[in-house]
Structure formats: structure tokens, C-alpha cells
Amino acid sequence: MIEVYVAKNIITMNPSLPEATAIAIRNGEILEVGSLESLSPWLIREDHQIIETFQDCVIVPGFIDPHLHPAMAAVILPMHFITAMPWTLPWCEVPASLTPRAFDQEMQRISATVDDEILIFWGHHDLWHGTMHRDRLNAIDADRPIVAWNRSFHELHMNSACMALLGITDASISGRAQIDFDTGRFFENGLAFAIQKLNPYILSDTRFTLGLERLKQVVHAGGHTTIGDMAVGLFDFERELVTTAKIFERADTPFRIEQVPHGAVVTHNRSFEETQAVLTDLSANSSHRLNFRARVKLFSDGAFFSQLAQLLPPGYLDGHVGEWLTAPEVLHEHILNFWRAGYQIHVHVTGDMGVEVALEGLAKAQAEHPRLLHGFTLEHMGYATPEQIERAKALGASVSANIYYLHELSGRYAELSVGYERASTMGRLKTCFDAGITTALHSDFTMAPAQPLLNMWVAVNRINAQGEQMGPAECLTPNQALAAVTLNAAKILGIETFTGSLRAGKRADLTVLSDSPLTVDPLRIKDIRVVATVFEGLVAPIETA
Amino acid sequence: MPPLKPLKSSNFRREDRPLTVIAGYLGAGKTTLINRMLADAVAPFAVIVNDLGALAVDQALIAGQQGSTLTLTNGCACCQISADLAAQLERLRQDDFSALVFEASGVAKASRLATLTSQAEGYALAKVVTLVDGLDAPRLLSDAYLSPLIKEQIAAADWVLQTKRSEGVHPSLASISSNIGQLPSSGALPAALAPEYFFDQSGRLEAGIKAPLFQHRVIFPRPDLTPGLLEAFIVEHPEIERVKGWLVGPTDAVLVQATRAHFQARSGARAQGQGLQFIWRGDAELDFSALT
């Protein structure tokens, strides 16, 4: 049986036939994209069904987020959100809580309905919710352990029952910096102490499983049909393998996960030959939805949100220096090993000095053993110079960017971190497209919301959280931005032969939208509704409130 | 040996086990030193290796000392959410040993390690020892990628020891710090390197945490706040260095840009501004209640 979906418009990302109005699918595979008329050679030969459910919608290739971290998401998603901004989460609508009273009422309400061992609320913000204090949490429930985690993630408060559960006493924390026992406040470096005590709970099996179940809903709600887990082993390699297989390899999971192992973890205590044997085995034992291939994730410099990106001169406003996550010479050694073995190499780079070290490694590898179509990818790329982008193109590198940095951080970083010029040109994506580099967008969820339309909106408009447009010369066209979350993202993962665009022979991975991101007012791209996804021919509707 | 830096003795908790951080770039000799410490040790101590490189601490020596060696794997790059560190520190606390030695990753900044390890419950940071390869020092100190790191590891240490070079501290190292000694390549280790050395004398718990030079906050001004009132507020608070953002009234929005020398307010074309950012000098709180 052939299923034919008709739509107001089908944007194919196939340059030879960019638009269509009907798509024929059989056994999860696309037979043809065109019009009801052009499909007739198929339709006169086989049973078919014309489906009009999406006739007023726009169909695009299934969204692909080539870089997120299910394990990290699993830590955060079980927390109860109480926030000043409303959030639409697939399992609940989070109302805007704009006053201290509203915050307390939400804590009360949630507290009465769930039985978590430790009740963790996320989203407290002094400006709206007033000063937090352990007594305030005690008033919600004096017997039950409660944590109120600040929206910034850099601070939390605990109530007395929580401190008792974790064995935290006045004596055990006396004199530690950035902890206030009386108010139950742990911040910045003091937060590390609290997290070490909370780790057994926030990483417990029950919560971790719940977190992954929730991630599944988030991924679907964003309209994805493929995601990349861009560092399997971030917390615990074996546990991640076992848990993700259990939760995601099921018929009701409407997406696949392309798994890329954390290079430092898989090479640890192993010769390179042993590492290769392990990875070859993982690829051979991939399941339908969960796939390892000859890919690896390596790390160059530190985290962008923590201002630990390594910068070329003139560096940071305050003169501090970034960090290396891997020593440059060790990174080069890993690059060479995986390069010789034919792997697609993804390198986490946040600052332009991080980019420099990665490109040097690539140049060495190319000089020693030239390769074409190798898929070496610069991941995140917060800061990069135009000259580096030219070199990246010459060396055959691709770019997978976190453009949300620009939205969330450029206003603050202009004032507090690197100054206006560099802050306003972070995520230099138009330069990448102009150079002809394969360029994709990712969320690095939970660093940014897992919403491709939102990331497209940022890439097209470059408007920051303060409402100011930053670096307009680097704005993408809507078509480029759509390519960056579909076909280009497939190329980043090395799976463009079977997904990423709509054409005869590819798997039927579709995202159904309420409007066209190519023709809607660019400022409204983020407001387009995701109606449903189709994963390998199966429709998965998206419920909206 | 140069004299050790004086350490703070306040807030030292006697029941805590002393923790020594051994920092230094790759090849500086950290593992070799730890193996020598193990061979010399008079009391069992535990070792945590925070590096994904090969584990080269001599297991036989550890076993002989009834100590424990643990390797950390990973976790979030910007916070401390890691099953490993918490579980291992906690597990270690049950073991019988008198001190903990933490072998830092070669690219770890010594100051950051000092602040992180000083938060570990049941342990007290005793000292940070940085090793520098005396033969490789000229290259490291002129390497654009590594020289800031090497200098930081030296500056943030309580004690810096040169390894591998016998003919005195290399001039390139001597020129950046007068506090560098030499680690003898054989024979007994300096007594001060014993993991428990500082236990009875002092502890240090607030390493590396400096008061911030600036603070910043985004506020959401009340709708009737005029540019004139905001300017007056800035004048009244000489610690304010920079203000930027939007005043959003019922009908219009004004974009404000201010430094101490300059105040500019102009009507904005769009009223989607979100808040007003303040940057001020010092670590005291600012009271914004007059504005919100």
C-alpha cells in the first residue's frame, strides 16, 4: 500500500525539485515527491491511499539536531519548573510565576501532588520571586527535603530536611566559601559542594530514566526525526548504552539517535587497536533506531557559558584565560589516530584559539594522509575568525554551530566578556555559507532549547535576549537556516544518503508545520507550530495545549 | 628548598583528611612523583587521578600501602555534575587512609582545582604542588596555546618544583617566579611532600576565591521610571560603571546607554527590550528598589 500525503507546500531541500504538493511513501521509504498528477505512474500500478490530514500544512524534511546530550537532559528534565517565563513542556504547561507568592503557591501545589525523595524546583529568580531562604522552603514542608535551584544554575537553596538527609551540618560546611548555612544557600564554588552531595539523587536510576523519557517527548515536540548524541559516555558509558537502548529502541519512539562516542572515554586505558575493536563492535551491534558508525567526538577548549573558551588575543575583557579540555598535543594525537582509521571526527571548539588547535590538527592529518569527504566537523564554534573559516573550507571541514549563544549571551558578553565586536559576530554563519562550508545548527540541549524553528529564527534574525540585532551581516536566509536543520545536519552526521531531504529513495522522515519558514515573516519563524512528524512513514502527531 | 608560602589556619577542621593536589602539564613528572611518594609513605594514602590518560600509578605500591587508586572519568565540562567524583570521594571516606593525593589533569588550572577540591566534604585542601619539566620549560613558556596555562599553574601553587633538570632552575622559569625549587631526581623526597605533612599545622579552605572586580545584574524597571530619574540614580551611585538596556513605558520604549561620563537615552523603534543591565564596581550589593 502506498500512502500519499498532500500538502499546501512541500519544501524538499532537493535542489533539482525544491517544492512539491504530494509525497508518496511505501514501507517507510519515499517513492516520489511531486504532485498527484506526476505520481500517477506509481498510483495506477499499486493500491494507494491519499491522505489529506496535512493538506493545509507545509511539509519539510524531518528536523535533525546533530548535537545534543540526552544524558545531560536526563539530569535536568525531572526537576519541577517554576519560572517567570511560561514554558510549554510536553508533560505540562508551566505557568508564568511572577511574584514571590506565586512561586510559593506553585511549590505548594507541586509538593502536594508528587512524592519525589527530594523535591527539586528549578527556575527561581530573585527579581520576580524574591529572596530565597531555607525557612521559606521549610514553610512549604518542613519534613520533606526540598531544593530550589536558581534559574542560572549557579545557585541553589536547601531546606533543613534536605540538609539533614544529605548530612550537611554547620560544622561540616563551616568556613567553606560561598555557602551560607543559615539561609541554606550554595552558590558558585559552594555549589560544587551541594552538587557532590546531590549527585547520588539527581543521577539515580529512577530519575535518570524519567529524564530520558521526558527527553523523548521534548525531542518529538521540537519536530525532530533524528538527533545526534554527541558524546556517549559523558557521564557513564555503559549505563548510557543500556538505558538509552531500553528507553529509545521502542516502536513508539518517533526518531533515531545517531550515537557518537566520547573519544577520551573510549580510548581510556586502551590501545588504539583495542579502541577500534570496541567501536567496530558497537557499530556492528547497532539497532534500528540507535546507531554507532565510524564517528568520534573530541574536545578542544572549555565551556562557552562558563567563559572558558580559549581566545586568541586580545582575549577576555578581564584578562582571565580559558581552559583546555584536552591538551593540544593530545588532541592532535587523537585526531591523527582516528583520521588514519577513516573516522568522521567531531571536535568541540568554543573559542577561536580552540578552533586554531583543531584546524592545525586537521592540517597535519591532511598533510600526512589526504582524505576527501571526511566530515571533520567544528562543533559549537562560538568564536572563529573569517580567515579560520577560509582555512576550514580549504581543509574540507564542516561546521555545526550553537547559534543560541548569540541570542542568550551576546548582549551580556559585549558588556562583560569580550566586547561588542566579537560578541556581535559570534556564530559567523553567513561567512560559512558564503565559503561553501556544510553548516548546520544544533541545540546542544540543554544549552539551548531543542527547537529547530527557534534556532532558525536566531540564525535568520540574530536578535539577542535584549531585543538587539547583533552582527546583521551574518544573518542567514530562511532557506539556508532550513538547510542547516535538515540536509546539512544529516551531512554532519554522515547520514545524508538516507535522510535530510525529501526525494525518491530516502527514508520518509518528515516534519509537518503550520506555515512555511521560507515565506512567513522572518520574525515569526519561531512561532510556526509543529503539527506532527512522520518517522519512516509513521505519523506521530504533536499534541498542543 | 625555598620556604613554603604561609597558609591560613583558620577554619581548619581536624577530622578532615588532608588533600594534596599535584598539578603540572603533561610529562612534568606527576605520576613519577606520586609513585615515589607511595614508595616512601609511612601511612597509607589514597590517590585520585583526574585524567583520561593512561593510569600509570603503580598498583602494587598502592596495594602495599592498603590505599586506593581511583581514576575519574567525566561529567559536565562546566559544572560538577558527575556520578564519578561524588561516588568516589564518598566511597573513599570509608577506607582506611590518612591523606588524599589528587593527580590533576595536565591541562587543569591549579586555582580552579584548588577551589573545587576545597569543597569536598571530609577533606581539607592542604597544598597545591605544581611540577614543571625543566627541560621542556622554554618550549612551554613560549607556546601560544600553553604558556598562559603553565604560568597559571605556577602562580596558583603553594609550591613549585622543577623536574628532570639537574643544573639549577631553568632561567626561563626563574624569571617568572622566585618560588621554584628543584625536585631531586632520586633519593628521599623532601619531608614536606609527605601527604600528611601539613595535617597538624594548617589547612586552607578559601584558595583562589577572590572578590569580584565587578558585579552585574539585569533589572526590570517600573513603567513610570523616566530617563531623568535613572540618570539621577546613576549619579548617586558612583560605583556604577555601565548601564545599558530598555525603559519600557505604557506606550513607548527608550534605549539607555550610559557610562560614568555619558548618558544617552533615545526612543526605540521597538518595545521588545528586556530589562536594563547594570555593571558596578566592588562586591557589595546594590539596592535597586528605587527603580523597580
Side-chain angles (χ1 to χ4, degrees), chain A residues 2 15 30 33 227 261 329 373-374 440 442 505 520:
Chain A
I2 296 174
I30 299 173
V33 183
I227 58 169
E329 59 203 85
L373 301 173
H374 46 75
H442 64 240
V520 77

Side-chain angles (χ1 to χ4, degrees), chain B residues 71-100:
Chain B
T71 311
L72 295 179
T73 55
N74 230 315
C76 174
C78 60
C79 65
Q80 287 300 296
I81 295 180
S82 157
D84 235 20
L85 182 63
Q88 300 205 350
L89 285 172
E90 195 56 36
R91 212 200 85 201
L92 272 179
R93 289 175 71 190
Q94 325 300 324
D95 289 2
D96 178 27
F97 65 95
S98 57
L100 177 67

Side-chain angles (χ1 to χ4, degrees), chain A residues 231-237 261-271 275 297-299 324-327 330-331 333-334, chain B residues 26 30-31 48-56 70-77 82 84 88 102-108:
Chain A
V232 179
L234 197 61
F235 292 109
D236 183 333
F237 198 84
H262 189 311
V265 171
V266 290
T267 53
H268 180 55
N269 275 349
R270 291 189 180 115
S271 68
T275 300
K297 169 77 177 297
L298 303 174
F299 290 82
W324 295 115
L325 294 180
T326 312
V330 174
L331 176 61
E333 187 187 325
H334 281 311
Chain B
L26 308 176
K30 299 187 292 293
T31 308
I48 288 187
V49 181
N50 186 23
D51 203 336
L52 287 163
L55 179 74
L70 297 165
T71 311
L72 295 179
T73 55
N74 230 315
C76 174
S82 157
D84 235 20
Q88 300 205 350
F102 192 97
E103 180 182 341
S105 128
V107 288

Side-chain angles (χ1 to χ4, degrees), chain A residues 176 197 321 360 415 467, chain B residues 13 118 121 145 242 270:
Chain A
R176 286 182 195 279
K197 308 298 282 182
V321 294
E360 261 182 27
E415 297 292 319
Chain B
R13 294 180 303 278
S118 70
E121 194 182 4
Y145 303 143
R242 178 86 167 116
R270 55 171 179 267

